[in-house]
Amino acid sequence: EAGVGHRVFKAGDMRYTPVKVAVELPDDEHATASRDLGLRIHRVLSHITYRRDLDRALSYALSRGIVTTRVQDPWNTDEARHRLRTLLFDPPATATFNGVEEPSDALTWWADDNVVLTERALIGKWEDKEHNAHVERRRPDRVVMRPDGTVIVIDYKTGKPGEKGHVAQVKRYARWLQQALQPPAVRGYLWYTERDIVVRVV
């Protein structure tokens, strides 16, 4: 269990399941390569809780064919390690929020004093206009609980930064976390990893 204030986040209530990605790739060769890179980064990041987990995650990725040892492969282990180290140790210093740049707190997402949940299910309840109750289960890529109680939810994305569907998704996660944990603050981010662009939506 991880606590935020007087509320308790019961990680045991949530089931870890492997990432399953189904995507229709565009015809454009460059866009296809960019999307493929983003998905590979996503799969490796899903196995990294703290920076020290990088080598272990790369070993897993190698065993699953996500990265290779072939020098000619654009996503070989050396290139993957370099790219991921940049993301973990030198993330963007700024984020965009409502079209305005602001300082980014991305460097704190991997700090050792965080409580981190990766690919864990969140369950949200809502009512439609006829007051029918609905239950929805979603898995944000990364939820970070900072020592000051702030909760940060991050979703890794590919494609055009700030797409409406991406924004709505993270806003939904943030709303559910606020309702469940009642932390002093919730922030939500989209991280377009193949472009290394951070967009804050909450």
Side-chain angles (χ1 to χ4, degrees):
E1 296 184 350
V4 179
H6 65 284
R7 306 289 296 189
V8 177
F9 196 94
K10 296 183 178 179
D13 291 342
M14 295 173 290
R15 183 175 60 194
Y16 175 86
T17 54
V19 180
K20 295 182 180 179
V21 178
V23 60
E24 183 178 349
L25 295 176
D27 293 332
D28 179 79
E29 185 176 346
H30 177 73
T32 300
S34 178
R35 178 64 61 88
D36 179 65
L37 174 61
L39 293 176
R40 290 183 188 226
I41 292 172
H42 185 151
R43 292 184 67 186
V44 179
L45 287 176
S46 71
H47 291 274
I48 298 177
T49 302
Y50 304 104
R51 293 183 181 93
R52 61 178 178 268
D53 299 325
L54 176 57
D55 287 340
R56 178 183 56 79
L58 281 173
S59 295
Y60 168 84
L62 183 61
S63 71
R64 295 301 180 93
I66 302 168
V67 302
T68 73
T69 57
R70 296 190 300 270
V71 176
Q72 66 272 24
D73 190 329
W75 192 236
N76 59 59
T77 50
D78 289 340
E79 175 60 28
R81 179 177 285 103
H82 173 75
R83 184 64 178 268
L84 289 162
R85 282 188 63 85
T86 298
L87 292 173
L88 298 178
F89 290 89
D90 190 24
T94 61
T96 302
F97 181 55
N98 292 332
V100 178
E101 282 197 349
E102 63 178 21
S104 167
D105 60 1
L107 199 60
T108 70
W109 299 349
W110 311 93
D112 288 342
D113 55 358
N114 292 332
V115 174
V116 179
L117 302 173
T118 60
E119 301 288 347
R120 296 292 183 91
L122 295 179
I123 299 175
K125 298 179 181 180
W126 56 280
E127 289 186 352
D128 58 26
K129 293 180 180 179
E130 285 72 38
H131 302 290
N132 297 311
H134 298 270
V135 176
E136 191 173 2
R137 181 187 294 266
R138 298 277 182 165
R139 290 199 313 270
D141 293 326
R142 186 176 182 87
V143 175
V144 174
M145 287 171 276
R146 297 287 295 139
D148 66 358
T150 299
V151 174
I152 302 170
V153 57
I154 305 119
D155 238 26
Y156 313 133
K157 295 296 183 185
T158 61
K160 183 180 178 181
E163 289 184 14
K164 288 184 178 180
H166 296 171
V167 171
Q169 185 179 52
V170 171
K171 284 185 175 180
R172 184 185 302 118
Y173 295 157
R175 183 170 63 251
W176 291 353
L177 288 165
Q178 181 68 57
Q179 292 170 350
L181 303 179
Q182 299 183 6
V186 176
R187 293 198 293 274
Y189 291 91
L190 293 163
W191 192 9
Y192 294 85
T193 53
E194 88 282 13
R195 303 186 188 194
D196 206 9
I197 293 174
V198 174
V199 178
R200 182 165 75 90
V201 299
V202 179

